[in-house]
């Protein structure tokens, strides 16, 4: 694909680069490259700068491991937030979802979950940094907001076992039916948990 | 490959998941009648997916699958057993994930192995029911035998001579225990106690229930675990990733939950 004879070298290099992106096949990579070729120069330059800025200006917050331009990040600097409460999420994007609920505590981003078969263990994600934060003694509760998958559950239980002895309360988001769910199609574990967590109306 | 109908039904245990694209995942299933296979579930990562919970790894489910040009596609899935006791206990979950990885790495695609399937269900049932974690040793011994790597623990694996009831050498390259006179050519090995040898012999044909009833203290458990890990490493010519996780979990401070208090 990229090395079609006659394709000028800069174009085949761009095709190669696009091809490495997730979800981009050889044909899409070619189309995108020729699109870039026909772009006005300032637009192409803006794209190139945006890519460089993401790499050069975005760092991990030294406190919560969220992605940020200023370290510590905006959440960690905000003095109105509850510093005794930490919500642990898998990815930076999860923070956006949790913020929408009105949560105003602190965060910790793991950058992944335990995935034993793929060889992703606690050293491969940001567990150690979380334990370091606990040592300061300010945190009283950790809310495990990892996904409700086998991996997310394992990660939550793993951290609970590590943090429990430190005297920190470890909680897990409630599990049950998503809105709009069909009982008929709901799996047994979810339905059983929904029954256990039922509430008076 | 033999002709398969356009859609087919099967049941199996989900071994692992790999996410692809925005919302799809590829699942590796070990099925009752076709052995291991991969199939894709479209849109399964969306919150409202009907199949989501039924395709979680370590779930035994019934599937309706459509044959695809490259990958088959799940069209329906329904849980048979969710193994909640495994899923909600870290020690049990780690053992089960380890077993799933073993089955995945040791079996070949689309090769029927009902015995392996039954064994996997036995193991998951045992872990789910709260049996001691050493049941995994029976799983390992039997799985190796079913797939043609039977461990020689009666006599010397090299010359067949009888072995005295004392510490012996377990040499993975030789395929089992080796007598003192054969040790030179048997390659690396690990000393193993008469007690551990008895357990390995018992594991060959004991029922899961009887094996679970064995009294295996921490020292013996560790010895058996390390010995079988050596053998499996030699067969696979690599480490089992989840094996490291099992060890990491074992080193954690003890859980306060009721289910794992009796685990030793």
């Amino acid at each position: 694909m990229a090395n079609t004879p006659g394709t000028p070298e800069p174009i085949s290099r761009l095709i190669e680069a696009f091809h490495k992106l997730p979800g981009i096949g050889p044909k899409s990579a070619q189309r995108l490259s020729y699109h870039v070729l026909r772009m006005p120069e300032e637009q192409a330059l803006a794209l190139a700068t945006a890519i460089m800025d993401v790499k050069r200006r975005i760092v991990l917050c030294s406190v919560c491991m969220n992605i940020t331009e200023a370290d510590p990040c905006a959440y960690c600097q905000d003095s109105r937030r509850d510093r005794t409460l930490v919500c642990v999420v898998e990815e930076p994007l999860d923070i956006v979802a949790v913020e929408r609920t009105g949560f105003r505590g602190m965060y910790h981003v793991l950058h992944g979950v335990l995935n034993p078969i793929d060889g992703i263990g606690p050293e491969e994600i940001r567990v150690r940094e979380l334990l370091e934060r606990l040592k300061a003694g300010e945190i009283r509760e950790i809310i495990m907001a990892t996904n409700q998958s086998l991996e997310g559950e394992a990660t939550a239980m793993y951290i609970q076992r590590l943090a429990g002895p430190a005297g920190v309360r470890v909680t897990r988001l409630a599990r049950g039916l998503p809105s709009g769910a069909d009982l008929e199609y709901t799996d047994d574990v979810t339905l059983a948990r929904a029954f256990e967590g039922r509430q008076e109306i | 490959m033999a002709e398969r109908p356009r859609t087919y039904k099967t049941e199996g245990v989900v071994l692992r998941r790999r996410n692809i694209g925005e919302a799809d995942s590829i699942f590796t299933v070990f099925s009752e009648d076709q052995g291991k296979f991969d199939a894709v579930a479209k849109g399964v990562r969306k919150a409202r997916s009907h199949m989501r919970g039924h395709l979680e790894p370590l779930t035994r489910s019934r599937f309706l699958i459509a044959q695809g040009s490259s990958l088959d596609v799940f069209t329906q899935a329904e849980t048979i057993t969710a193994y909640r006791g495994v899923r909600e206990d870290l020690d049990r979950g780690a053992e089960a994930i380890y077993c799933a990885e073993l089955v995945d790495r040791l079996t070949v695609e689309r090769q029927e192995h009902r015995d392996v399937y039954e064994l996997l269900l036995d193991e998951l049932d045992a872990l789910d029911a709260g049996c001691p974690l050493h049941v995994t040793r029976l799983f390992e011994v039997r799985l190796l035998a079913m797939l043609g790597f039977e461990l020689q623990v009666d006599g010397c694996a090299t010359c067949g001579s009888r072995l005295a009831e004392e510490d012996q050498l377990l040499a993975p390259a030789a395929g089992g225990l080796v007598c003192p006179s054969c040790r030179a050519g048997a390659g690396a090995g690990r000393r193993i106690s008469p007690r551990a040898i008895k357990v390995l012999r018992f594991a060959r044909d004991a029922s899961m229930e009887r094996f679970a009833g064995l009294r295996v203290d921490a020292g013996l458990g560790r010895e058996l675990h390390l010995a079988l890990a050596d053998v499996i490493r030699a067969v696979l010519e690599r480490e089992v990733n989840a094996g490291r996780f099992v060890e990491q979990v074992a080193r954690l401070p003890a859980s306060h939950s009721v289910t794992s208090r009796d685990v030793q």
Side-chain angles (χ1 to χ4, degrees):
Chain A
M1 33 136 262
N3 294 327
T4 318
T7 308
E9 191 267 347
I11 294 185
S12 43
R13 252 198 310 146
L14 188 59
I15 295 175
E16 272 298 324
F18 276 127
H19 188 48
K20 284 185 183 142
L21 298 177
I24 306 284
K27 275 289 163 203
S28 312
Q30 257 175 19
R31 250 197 323 272
L32 286 171
S33 304
Y34 280 92
H35 179 78
V36 169
L37 185 66
R38 282 186 232 104
M39 262 183 192
E41 188 165 335
E42 67 270 27
Q43 211 184 324
L45 212 61
L47 175 66
T49 334
I51 292 175
M52 281 323 295
D53 283 354
V54 162
K55 288 315 289 179
R56 288 198 180 135
R57 307 220 323 245
I58 299 292
V59 292
L60 291 190
C61 170
S62 57
V63 180
C64 71
M65 303 293 132
N66 187 20
I67 49 169
T68 176
E69 217 181 326
D71 178 25
C73 74
Y75 300 117
C76 290
Q77 277 186 22
D78 187 346
S79 58
R80 287 161 304 176
R81 304 186 77 97
D82 184 351
R83 293 185 175 265
T84 64
L85 202 57
V86 175
C87 176
V88 179
V89 294
E90 292 181 16
E91 300 294 343
L93 271 178
D94 297 330
I95 291 185
V96 180
V98 176
E99 273 296 295
R100 283 202 304 263
T101 67
F103 174 78
R104 290 297 174 265
M106 310 302 280
Y107 290 101
H108 188 87
V109 185
L110 293 171
H111 292 276
V113 268
L114 299 178
N115 191 338
I117 297 191
D118 289 337
I120 310 293
E123 295 93 10
E124 278 74 32
I125 59 176
R126 307 286 179 162
V127 171
R128 191 173 44 85
E129 289 83 351
L130 176 62
L131 297 177
E132 287 299 319
R133 284 178 80 180
L134 295 182
K135 282 185 190 156
E138 201 178 7
I139 297 166
R140 283 216 295 272
E141 178 176 346
I142 298 177
I143 304 168
M144 291 305 307
T146 49
N147 289 338
Q148 286 177 21
S149 57
L150 177 72
E151 298 84 352
E153 296 284 344
T155 309
M157 288 189 285
Y158 191 89
I159 289 174
Q160 183 265 321
R161 288 268 287 271
L162 278 175
V168 180
R169 182 168 178 232
V170 185
T171 55
R172 180 87 175 108
L173 294 186
R175 291 161 281 207
L177 301 170
S179 53
D182 254 312
L183 278 202
E184 185 191 353
Y185 291 108
T186 306
D187 67 277
D188 313 20
V189 175
T190 305
L191 200 52
R193 283 170 174 167
F195 264 92
E196 286 163 11
R198 70 186 185 278
Q199 285 167 1
E200 211 160 317
I201 46 174
Chain B
M1 198 191 292
E3 266 306 297
R4 282 181 288 131
R6 288 183 100 98
T7 64
Y8 56 96
K9 290 178 191 169
T10 186
E11 68 153 86
V13 173
V14 181
L15 299 179
R16 64 187 294 189
R17 159 184 43 216
R18 267 158 298 151
N19 292 340
I20 51 165
E22 286 274 304
D24 305 345
S25 300
I26 296 176
F27 294 88
T28 303
V29 169
F30 196 84
S31 66
E32 184 180 31
D33 57 353
Q34 304 189 31
K36 178 177 73 173
F37 66 84
D38 279 358
V40 66
K42 302 254 169 85
V44 74
R45 279 146 68 206
K46 294 180 187 159
R48 287 217 202 158
S49 161
H50 286 161
M51 288 189 284
R52 198 179 154 89
H54 304 281
L55 285 170
E56 272 298 301
L58 305 184
T59 304
R60 177 185 177 192
S61 292
R62 247 183 297 271
F63 311 105
L64 184 65
I65 298 170
Q67 214 181 325
S69 49
S70 55
L71 257 180
D72 291 358
V73 182
F74 290 102
T75 54
Q76 285 176 36
E78 189 190 24
T79 306
I80 300 173
T81 317
Y83 298 115
R84 222 181 141 182
V86 171
R87 207 167 287 287
E88 295 179 355
D89 181 287
L90 192 56
D91 301 271
R92 293 174 188 288
E95 293 287 327
I97 292 170
Y98 170 78
C99 294
E101 185 179 347
L102 277 191
V103 170
D104 184 26
R105 293 208 186 277
L106 283 165
T107 56
V108 180
E109 285 218 12
R110 302 269 180 207
Q111 204 172 80
E112 182 184 333
H113 252 299
R114 279 176 198 264
D115 51 353
V116 171
Y117 185 64
E118 292 299 326
L119 178 69
L120 181 60
L121 294 184
D122 275 356
E123 167 79 7
L124 290 173
D125 284 339
L127 290 173
D128 198 47
C131 289
L133 300 184
H134 72 248
V135 291
T136 305
R137 304 292 86 81
L138 177 138
F139 178 82
E140 290 168 322
V141 168
R142 296 276 260 278
L143 183 67
L144 286 168
M146 286 169 185
L147 298 172
F149 304 104
E150 187 166 7
L151 206 54
Q152 181 54 254
V153 287
D154 280 324
C156 169
T158 308
C159 70
S161 65
R162 281 195 54 173
L163 296 165
E165 199 178 309
E166 56 193 24
D167 277 13
Q168 295 293 347
L169 191 81
L170 179 71
L177 302 174
V178 282
C179 70
S181 46
C182 291
R183 275 178 203 173
R190 177 187 293 275
R191 287 187 80 81
I192 178 167
S193 69
R195 277 206 310 163
I197 294 171
K198 275 186 194 146
V199 177
L200 291 178
R201 286 178 185 154
F202 187 58
R204 289 179 306 186
D205 39 37
S207 69
M208 191 59 97
E209 215 179 338
R210 289 194 61 203
F211 193 80
L214 277 187
R215 220 164 266 215
V216 177
D217 58 49
L220 181 59
R222 179 110 195 114
E223 185 182 1
L224 288 162
H225 163 67
L226 292 175
L228 283 161
D230 278 355
V231 175
I232 288 162
R233 193 180 305 114
V235 168
L236 286 174
E237 296 179 348
R238 59 160 293 154
E239 293 289 332
V240 182
N241 286 335
R244 196 167 62 106
F245 185 62
V246 170
E247 306 218 329
Q248 283 163 336
V249 170
R251 282 198 300 270
L252 286 175
S255 148
H256 308 295
S257 72
V258 189
T259 39
S260 46
R261 191 180 296 150
D262 51 345
V263 179
Q264 230 355 281

